[in-house]
Amino acid sequence: MSRQGEVAQRARKMGAIDAIVALLLVSNVVAGAVAAAGPKVIVVGAGMSGISAAKTLSDAGIKDILILEATDRIGGRMRKVNFAGINVEMGANWVEGVNGPAMNPIWKMANKLHLRNFFSDYTNLSSNTYNENGGLYQRSEVDEVTEEADKVNSFGEKLSASLPPSGREDVSILTSQRLKNHVPSTALEMVVDYYTYDYEFAEPPRVTSLQNTVPLPTFANFGEDVYFVADQRGYESLVYDLAGQFLRTAKNGSIVDPRLLLGKVVRHIRRFESGVVVVTEDGSVYKADYVIVSVSIGVLQTKLIKFEPDLPQWKILAIYQFDMAVYTKIFLKFPYKFWPEGNGTEFFLYANERRGYYPVWQQFEKQYPGANVLLVTVTDEESRRIEQQPDSQTKAEAMEVLRNMFGKHIPEATDILVPRWWSDRFFKGTFSNWPLGVNRYEYDQIRAPIGKVYFTGEHTSEHYNGYVHGAYLAGIDSANMMIECIKQKICKYEIKPKDS
């Protein structure tokens, strides 16, 4: 029996994926096969970043692309789902950063498709903040707390601007609050604090970087307005439209291009000097010259994808230094409305001694008229707790909160939708939140290619991590790095010293 025949026989006795990798390792033709394949690129993940990167490559003339997507759809964390007879967004929902000095590329794309959207007006929250014991706070009382929080935030902006760019003297938002002798402690102070920070970053001020978030580049560059997407085609239609610009589609708009493969869970990425070999969970083997990995930072922090050889230590440390936050939007359906309607009532807050306990609510009088649906947002530890309990328990908790706000005689919710992004092995959360002390140095490390393996995703966006526009721009950025390597042979990626 030949050497390869012996290996193949042993392979049948091993686990399917490890067996294939073992076979490749002993094959003396792998490197040559990869090299002979020409300029072929594999993109792992078909979310906004992956599709953006693939389109950028295609526009540059690199057409030999294969996109491997683990789920049965494209769009990643932009996902619509039918609930109570309407399509709602489980993940990304807003175009954030509009009407500013620069045009947000996602706003431009949304306008091109005429996506149905609504300006989110939070200015009347002072009149819509509920006490945990029932009833509304006086507007003047909420205004007083909000004004104090605004003063502390302004102090934080000045402090942030004074810190050296290295990030070595960065502090948390909570630390900057303490420097002003302001530590939110009452139920009202905590819910205002939660709305200001957690509702945006999905993590509390004690772990959120002051230097990277105050002021926030998204709002400073693109504008402070945000628009809620409520289109039955789904926010994900932006990704489908982008994909349709370079992938073949059928008359009904579905993608039929063989360069997109769904249900392909990448488990191994093996790199050589001449190329890469990618192995999926079903045992399929794909060879290419390059690969762009566009999975979330949360997935990179798990063992879902094994890199061989191992990624260098500095790369692993950078990956684990970043946070994958969890932002959970819970939808509840009712037989009829019992909440206030009209101008200035869309958003309302619930103040509780337990910080972050079902705090931010939204009614959809304009977005989904007649649907009788409410949305409540939770984050971080509450998100993880809720993901691990039955939906019936979550519904009971939410109903108790609503009865505290609106009385005991309100109707019972007839349905509930609880996303579980943290529990999903293909996402492990909703978006990244840059930790304390991180600056361009760690950003360069997180997006730096390792040989023929490139990385992209919202977590690799220097200024816009956590946002849809960050994902889109990161895909373009990583693809352009690869294009420069392929076409100009400029493949060395420089990581400047942290203090430069």
Side-chain angles (χ1 to χ4, degrees):
M1 183 181 293
S2 67
R3 173 62 176 163
Q4 284 202 340
E6 291 175 359
V7 172
Q9 187 178 53
R10 287 201 302 271
R12 285 191 290 271
K13 300 178 182 178
M14 300 168 60
I17 297 175
D18 289 338
I20 293 166
V21 174
L23 181 60
L24 291 172
L25 290 178
V26 299
S27 172
N28 59 7
V29 298
V30 169
V34 172
K40 179 171 184 175
V41 180
I42 292 174
V43 178
V44 180
M48 177 57 88
S49 281
I51 294 298
S52 174
K55 180 184 180 297
T56 304
L57 292 171
S58 180
D59 290 348
I62 301 171
K63 309 287 187 180
D64 195 357
I65 300 166
L66 180 63
I67 305 169
L68 302 176
E69 165 58 39
T71 71
D72 61 357
R73 49 175 289 280
I74 73 170
R77 286 163 273 170
M78 301 173 76
R79 181 185 177 187
K80 73 173 187 291
V81 64
N82 190 273
F83 173 73
I86 55 173
N87 287 331
V88 297
E89 303 292 340
M90 289 183 67
N93 217 141
W94 282 268
V95 182
E96 301 205 45
V98 179
N99 298 326
M103 169 64 80
N104 186 324
I106 301 302
W107 185 237
K108 184 177 181 179
M109 294 163 68
N111 287 333
K112 172 196 167 188
L113 293 184
H114 303 289
L115 278 190
R116 188 168 171 267
N117 62 80
F118 298 83
F119 173 67
S120 290
D121 186 358
Y122 299 95
T123 56
N124 203 39
L125 278 175
S126 294
S127 297
N128 299 303
T129 300
Y130 289 82
N131 192 304
E132 65 180 314
N133 297 318
L136 289 163
Y137 283 95
Q138 290 292 322
R139 181 185 180 96
S140 59
E141 187 178 359
V142 183
D143 280 340
E144 184 179 347
V145 170
T146 303
E147 288 168 9
E148 177 62 24
D150 288 342
K151 291 177 184 177
V152 174
N153 189 67
S154 296
F155 166 78
E157 286 190 14
K158 295 176 183 177
L159 175 60
S160 177
S162 72
L163 298 174
S166 69
R168 295 189 187 277
E169 295 182 29
D170 189 16
V171 297
S172 70
I173 291 174
L174 178 60
T175 297
S176 73
Q177 291 174 330
R178 286 174 170 165
L179 290 174
K180 287 293 288 181
N181 197 29
H182 176 80
V183 180
S185 54
T186 68
L188 178 56
E189 289 171 343
M190 286 191 291
V191 78
V192 170
D193 190 59
Y194 182 97
Y195 160 74
T196 305
Y197 299 110
D198 305 49
Y199 187 56
E200 187 67 35
F201 306 121
E203 289 191 322
R206 62 181 168 77
V207 297
T208 299
S209 162
L210 176 74
Q211 198 164 3
N212 286 311
T213 59
V214 181
L216 199 60
T218 283
F219 299 135
N221 297 338
F222 295 130
E224 296 185 357
D225 291 344
V226 300
Y227 286 79
F228 185 92
V229 176
D231 194 295
Q232 290 305 287
R233 293 169 292 175
Y235 202 176
E236 64 189 34
S237 59
L238 296 189
V239 184
Y240 280 87
D241 180 68
L242 199 63
Q245 295 174 38
F246 71 98
L247 294 175
R248 192 165 73 250
T249 59
K251 290 183 179 180
N252 64 0
S254 61
I255 299 171
V256 294
D257 199 304
R259 291 177 296 172
L260 170 66
L261 298 180
L262 303 177
K264 290 292 185 178
V265 183
V266 171
R267 298 304 306 271
H268 283 80
I269 297 177
R270 175 75 183 178
R271 69 183 188 274
F272 302 89
E273 287 188 11
S274 55
V276 296
V277 172
V278 176
V279 184
T280 55
E281 199 163 61
D282 61 7
S284 300
V285 181
Y286 305 93
K287 301 173 184 177
D289 294 279
Y290 300 87
V291 62
I292 296 183
V293 181
S294 70
V295 301
S296 74
I297 191 73
V299 170
L300 289 176
Q301 292 170 348
T302 71
K303 296 180 180 180
L304 182 68
I305 300 177
K306 179 176 177 58
F307 293 90
E308 297 184 69
D310 289 339
L311 296 176
Q313 187 175 21
W314 60 263
K315 184 74 169 183
I316 295 173
L317 288 174
I319 288 171
Y320 281 97
Q321 189 171 347
F322 284 68
D323 290 342
M324 188 65 174
V326 192
Y327 189 102
T328 307
K329 294 154 51 197
I330 302 170
F331 295 86
L332 295 123
K333 165 73 174 177
F334 294 90
Y336 58 86
K337 299 171 188 173
F338 54 85
W339 49 84
E341 290 186 296
N343 292 335
T345 63
E346 180 178 346
F347 298 93
F348 50 101
L349 302 179
Y350 174 69
N352 189 281
E353 292 294 339
R354 178 172 163 181
R355 190 181 186 279
Y357 190 73
Y358 300 96
V360 183
W361 293 78
Q362 184 177 359
Q363 57 98 346
F364 297 120
E365 174 187 0
K366 296 178 180 178
Q367 294 88 338
Y368 308 115
N372 301 335
V373 170
L374 288 177
L375 165 64
V376 60
T377 299
V378 297
T379 58
D380 198 42
E381 293 178 1
E382 281 298 301
S383 290
R384 295 179 178 88
R385 180 187 70 81
I386 285 171
E387 283 200 25
Q388 297 177 80
Q389 70 184 20
D391 288 354
S392 58
Q393 177 64 30
T394 302
K395 183 159 79 75
E397 293 172 356
M399 286 304 306
E400 182 182 15
V401 168
L402 286 168
R403 290 188 175 109
N404 285 344
M405 287 192 281
F406 300 110
K408 303 299 181 184
H409 302 296
I410 63 173
E412 185 73 19
T414 56
D415 201 0
I416 186 170
L417 174 65
V418 183
R420 286 178 166 79
W421 293 105
W422 175 62
S423 304
D424 193 321
R425 66 177 180 144
F426 300 142
F427 300 102
K428 300 305 295 180
T430 46
F431 51 79
S432 65
N433 186 28
W434 283 26
L436 305 187
V438 164
N439 76 333
R440 187 180 177 88
Y441 173 72
E442 287 84 5
Y443 156 77
D444 283 341
Q445 286 185 316
I446 205 77
R447 74 172 190 148
I450 305 298
K452 300 297 184 75
V453 181
Y454 285 67
F455 297 84
T456 193
E458 51 84 11
H459 56 279
T460 71
S461 176
E462 181 183 9
H463 299 299
Y464 308 123
N465 66 293
Y467 294 97
V468 176
H469 50 273
Y472 171 73
L473 294 170
I476 295 173
D477 185 50
S478 296
N480 282 333
M481 289 167 54
M482 181 180 290
I483 292 165
E484 188 175 54
C485 178
I486 292 172
K487 295 194 171 184
Q488 301 180 32
K489 307 304 179 186
I490 302 175
C491 303
K492 186 176 181 180
Y493 182 81
E494 182 183 2
I495 300 177
K496 296 180 180 179
K498 189 169 178 64
D499 294 307
S500 64

